[in-house]
Amino acid sequence: MCGRYAVRQDPAALAEEFAATDRTAGAVGADFNVTPTKTVPIIVQRGIERSMRPVRWGLVPTWAKEIGSGPPMINARAESITTKPAFADSARRRRCLMPATGWYEWRPGDQRRQPYLCTRGDGASLAMAAVFSAWWAPNSTDQPLVTCAVVTTDAVGELADIHHRMPLVLPEHRWADWLDPQRNEITDLLRPELEVLDELAIHPVSIEVNSMRNNHPELLERVEPAPEPAEQAALFDHDQG
């Protein structure tokens, strides 16, 4: 986690929800099956302006010699984000929010690949804590590639029944502190708050989510989960009897 998520709101609605100025210039839109390396909206604070910007999901450290030399760094563990070289500088000075309708999750080892969607029960957007980085190609004068990674933490309660990790979701009263580039000490911001966890709900969704080619609003809808392999065999045996 987090390896797939959804954003059903258009940029104008997202910007209003996060009290931000939309600076995406048409680069992003509603996306019901966001996958790594896609361009996604983030919320940043610079000076007095809070704005929404388009960046690539999968952080590339400033010191990387090239892009794509390994798996995209889409997640950053809260437990090590301030000390791991790939994320430490961003954790100190380049923090952001990644708006999401919800994130998809799968149980490890589930042969069915049954996806679940975790959302807020009231339908509002989630504010996933994240960090970003700007990377310049060696000897290049082009604009930098700006990339981001979601901060993750231990899952709790019902969420832990699906997967042991989850995004760090921030309540609104933490947004300003998290976005403040002048704040370097963030230890107390890396702990999940119970009020946020109490607002989350999880439900099974269509296995169409498993293919990144599928991208439509119905992916967010609750469905009956696919039966376990043992259940399928039992049904087959019953039919043959």
Side-chain angles (χ1 to χ4, degrees), residues 17 23 37 51 63 77 79 90 96 102 123 126 136 138 174 189 200 202 211 215 229 231 238:
E17 191 172 6
R23 303 290 187 192
T37 73
S51 61
W63 39 260
R77 294 176 67 91
E79 299 87 344
S90 292
C96 60
L126 302 171
W136 279 265
R174 280 191 179 183
L189 300 177
L200 299 179
I202 192 164
S211 172
N215 199 321
E231 294 174 348
H238 177 74

Side-chain angles (χ1 to χ4, degrees), residues 215-230:
N215 199 321
H216 52 80
E218 289 74 21
L219 296 181
L220 306 179
E221 296 178 0
R222 176 187 291 272
V223 303
E224 287 298 318
E228 297 278 2

Side-chain angles (χ1 to χ4, degrees), residues 11-24 41-45 48-53 97 99 172 175 179:
L14 274 181
E16 181 177 358
E17 191 172 6
F18 284 84
T21 302
D22 181 11
R23 303 290 187 192
T24 58
I42 64 169
I43 308 295
V44 298
Q45 185 83 35
I48 63 173
E49 184 186 67
R50 179 182 294 181
S51 61
M52 185 167 65
R53 307 275 178 168
L97 300 174
E172 187 171 356
W175 295 358
L179 294 174

Side-chain angles (χ1 to χ4, degrees), residues 44-89:
V44 298
Q45 185 83 35
R46 288 297 178 263
I48 63 173
E49 184 186 67
R50 179 182 294 181
S51 61
M52 185 167 65
R53 307 275 178 168
V55 304
R56 173 174 155 163
W57 184 23
L59 189 137
V60 178
T62 56
W63 39 260
K65 294 183 178 180
E66 60 183 12
I67 301 171
S69 57
M73 292 191 288
I74 60 174
N75 295 333
R77 294 176 67 91
E79 299 87 344
S80 59
I81 191 173
T82 60
T83 57
K84 191 171 183 178
F87 303 116
D89 191 50

Side-chain angles (χ1 to χ4, degrees), residues 66 146 165 175 193 225:
E66 60 183 12
V146 183
R165 301 292 291 181
W175 295 358
E193 287 202 8

Side-chain angles (χ1 to χ4, degrees), residues 28-229:
V28 297
D31 193 330
F32 304 94
N33 204 352
V34 183
T35 54
T37 73
K38 275 191 175 182
T39 300
V40 300
I42 64 169
I43 308 295
V44 298
Q45 185 83 35
R46 288 297 178 263
I48 63 173
E49 184 186 67
R50 179 182 294 181
S51 61
M52 185 167 65
R53 307 275 178 168
V55 304
R56 173 174 155 163
W57 184 23
L59 189 137
V60 178
T62 56
W63 39 260
K65 294 183 178 180
E66 60 183 12
I67 301 171
S69 57
M73 292 191 288
I74 60 174
N75 295 333
R77 294 176 67 91
E79 299 87 344
S80 59
I81 191 173
T82 60
T83 57
K84 191 171 183 178
F87 303 116
D89 191 50
S90 292
R92 282 191 298 271
R93 301 188 295 121
R94 292 185 291 274
R95 298 183 300 275
C96 60
L97 300 174
M98 290 176 65
T101 300
W103 76 89
Y104 297 109
E105 201 56 86
W106 293 260
R107 282 193 174 97
D110 182 0
Q111 296 180 5
R112 303 167 301 166
R113 292 286 294 161
Q114 171 61 59
Y116 293 81
L117 176 67
C118 187
T119 63
R120 278 182 55 136
D122 61 5
S125 292
L126 302 171
M128 300 191 297
V131 294
F132 68 97
S133 180
W135 179 83
W136 279 265
N139 304 316
S140 173
T141 58
D142 295 338
Q143 290 294 312
L145 173 67
V146 183
T147 58
C148 66
V150 179
V151 180
T152 67
T153 187
D154 284 334
V156 297
E158 183 183 10
L159 304 177
D161 293 337
I162 305 298
H163 198 277
H164 66 285
R165 301 292 291 181
M166 62 176 282
L168 175 62
V169 180
L170 298 179
E172 187 171 356
H173 68 80
R174 280 191 179 183
W175 295 358
D177 285 338
W178 182 261
L179 294 174
D180 182 0
Q182 302 304 314
R183 176 168 179 160
N184 296 320
E185 174 52 50
I186 60 170
T187 302
D188 60 328
L189 300 177
L190 293 170
R191 292 189 293 267
E193 287 202 8
L194 291 178
E195 68 176 81
V196 171
L197 300 176
D198 289 342
E199 294 170 345
L200 299 179
I202 192 164
H203 62 263
V205 292
S206 172
I207 59 173
E208 285 191 59
V209 171
N210 296 342
S211 172
M212 65 179 66
R213 292 190 297 271
N214 297 321
N215 199 321
H216 52 80
E218 289 74 21
L219 296 181
L220 306 179
E221 296 178 0
R222 176 187 291 272
V223 303
E224 287 298 318
E228 297 278 2

